[in-house]
Amino acid sequence: QVQLVESGGGLVQPGGSLRLSCAASGSIFSVNRMGWYRQAPGEQRALVATITTGDNTNYADSVKGRFTVSRDSAKNTVFLQMNSLKPEDTAVYYCYANLRQTVSALWTNYWGQGTQVTVSS
């Protein structure tokens, strides 16, 4: 089994910062891309940022220049540093990892349980 455990969400004022962490554990052979999606009430889950094993990153336009995704590949952990937060960043943030459990297994996406980020004064 594979588990992704997120931490770091909470309530912050506009203009503030938060740092999310997500660690993948369990039966893991290799991890490819990791990243973050978010889902606001009444909306579909949407990409926030992703990072590959080669540290290539991809960001949603709405967070470019404010959010930074990084990873510790040795610990199968991905981070999201969120600065200059806005009320429209309020959402449940989900971590994901594209990985395989054995050398012959298919690459599969796994998801965390989600962590709430609320930006409000």
Side-chain angles (χ1 to χ4, degrees):
Q1 295 294 333
V2 174
Q3 284 189 319
L4 272 64
V5 179
E6 299 134 335
S7 62
L11 172 65
V12 64
Q13 292 187 343
S17 298
L18 282 175
R19 180 177 171 85
L20 304 183
S21 300
C22 172
S25 63
S27 179
I28 298 172
F29 175 77
S30 181
V31 180
N32 185 18
R33 189 183 303 268
M34 300 186 76
W36 298 89
Y37 281 66
R38 67 187 181 186
Q39 187 167 19
E43 297 184 10
Q44 291 187 335
R45 192 175 297 188
L47 170 75
V48 177
T50 62
I51 184 167
T52 69
T53 52
D55 289 339
N56 292 313
T57 57
N58 182 43
Y59 294 93
D61 288 343
S62 60
V63 307
K64 284 181 180 177
R66 300 187 298 123
F67 291 11
T68 302
V69 63
S70 61
R71 66 189 286 174
D72 182 340
S73 294
K75 297 181 179 179
N76 291 331
T77 300
V78 63
F79 307 95
L80 186 68
Q81 178 66 44
M82 303 184 293
N83 299 328
S84 302
L85 282 160
K86 305 175 181 180
E88 52 263 43
D89 294 317
T90 295
V92 177
Y93 284 68
Y94 295 92
C95 163
Y96 97 99
N98 180 251
L99 60 87
R100 53 181 176 176
Q101 292 190 267
T102 68
V103 65
S104 58
L106 295 176
W107 292 98
T108 304
N109 287 338
Y110 291 84
W111 295 88
Q113 79 285 359
T115 184
Q116 178 70 46
V117 171
T118 302
V119 185
S120 175
S121 56

